[in-house]
């Protein structure tokens, strides 16, 4: 199924080049993510370390492609996105299997760092809020015709903190009320209460 999903996007993009600006190959990347979650939970006969080495190999290939090809065309973008997505999926399986099996690997150590766990707690709110806030700010800044670097600095140093603050507010007011009791227990075990407060 994953192979079929990976094929759908490029086939649609090649067969219907004028079918709008939709990134249809993202269907395959979504399927990769779902497959990674399934393998993480259910396990596989493939030794867990192989996923880590696979992620490293595909990641190097993806980096080389992006550096030396510098994707500009739609077809080149499909290849770069698919390579990067595959590397990320393999890395997630490697770290996920390590967590399920009770093993510790470098990736898991990084992801279990308390500040990252805390950010992960409200990352969905960041995902929802940041883009419209940054887009609105960019639209408001365009008439000022600021130099690109100044515009970028304003977005990063002023607008981004505002977007993150709004995202955390959204999490606190809305999202946290939908977190299950199991999630709350895990979160409160992982996150330092002195740094962020327990999730009620």
């Amino acid at each position: 199924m994953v192979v079929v999903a990976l094929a759908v996007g490029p086939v649609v993009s090649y067969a219907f080049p004028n079918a709008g600006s939709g990134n249809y190959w993202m269907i395959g990347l979504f399927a990769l993510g779902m497959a990674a979650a399934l393998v993480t939970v259910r396990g596989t006969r493939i030794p867990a370390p192989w996923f880590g080495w696979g992620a490293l190999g595909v990641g190097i290939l993806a980096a080389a492609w992006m550096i030396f090809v510098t994707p500009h065309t739609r077809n080149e973008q499909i290849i770069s996105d698919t390579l990067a997505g595959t590397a990320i999926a393999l890395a997630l399986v490697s770290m996920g299997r390590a967590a399920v099996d009770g093993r510790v690997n470098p990736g898991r150590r990084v992801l279990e760092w308390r500040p990252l766990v805390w950010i992960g707690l409200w990352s969905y709110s960041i995902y929802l809020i940041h883009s419209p806030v940054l887009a609105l700010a960019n639209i408001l800044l365009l008439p000022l015709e600021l130099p690109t670097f100044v515009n970028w600095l304003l977005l990063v140093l002023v607008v981004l903190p505002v977007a993150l603050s709004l995202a955390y507010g959204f999490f606190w007011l809305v999202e946290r009320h939908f977190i299950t009791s199991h999630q709350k227990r895990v979160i409160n075990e992982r996150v330092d209460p002195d740094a962020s407060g327990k999730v009620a």
Side-chain angles (χ1 to χ4, degrees):
M1 289 300 292
V2 174
V3 174
V4 172
L6 282 171
V8 166
V11 167
V12 171
S13 297
Y14 283 119
F16 306 100
N18 299 319
S21 58
N23 298 334
Y24 304 107
W25 60 92
M26 294 295 179
I27 297 169
L29 300 185
F30 177 79
L32 272 176
M34 296 299 293
L38 188 65
V39 170
T40 298
V41 173
R42 293 189 178 178
T44 176
R45 294 180 181 178
I46 301 172
W50 287 23
F51 290 101
W53 289 111
L56 180 62
V58 178
I60 291 171
L61 188 60
W65 175 267
M66 292 177 193
I67 291 169
F68 296 110
V69 177
T70 313
H72 294 296
T73 68
R74 191 175 180 83
N75 296 339
E76 291 169 347
Q77 189 68 45
I78 291 172
I79 294 172
S80 63
D81 285 354
T82 302
L83 286 173
T86 302
I88 291 168
L90 290 170
L92 290 173
V93 171
S94 175
M95 291 182 284
R97 287 307 309 168
V100 170
D101 297 339
R103 294 180 291 104
V104 177
N105 64 13
R108 182 181 168 189
R109 284 196 189 96
V110 171
L111 293 180
E112 289 186 348
W113 186 43
R114 283 177 173 172
L116 281 185
V117 174
W118 178 67
I119 292 171
L121 170 63
W122 50 289
S123 60
Y124 185 65
S125 294
I126 296 174
Y127 165 73
L128 290 177
I129 301 297
H130 85 282
S131 185
V133 172
L134 290 174
L136 176 62
N138 199 34
I139 290 171
L140 295 175
L141 289 171
L142 281 176
L144 301 178
E145 297 183 353
L146 299 169
T148 303
F149 182 68
V150 174
N151 193 74
W152 179 83
L153 277 180
L154 283 172
L155 288 174
V156 171
L157 299 179
V158 178
V159 181
L160 184 58
V162 170
L164 292 175
S165 299
L166 290 172
Y168 189 74
F170 179 82
F171 163 76
W172 193 253
L173 292 172
V174 180
E175 187 187 352
R176 73 186 179 102
H177 299 294
F178 295 92
I179 295 176
T180 66
S181 57
H182 171 72
Q183 288 172 313
K184 289 178 183 177
R185 180 177 59 78
V186 172
I187 289 165
N188 289 329
E189 287 175 357
R190 297 286 186 189
V191 180
D192 185 356
D194 295 333
S196 61
K198 288 189 176 182
V199 177

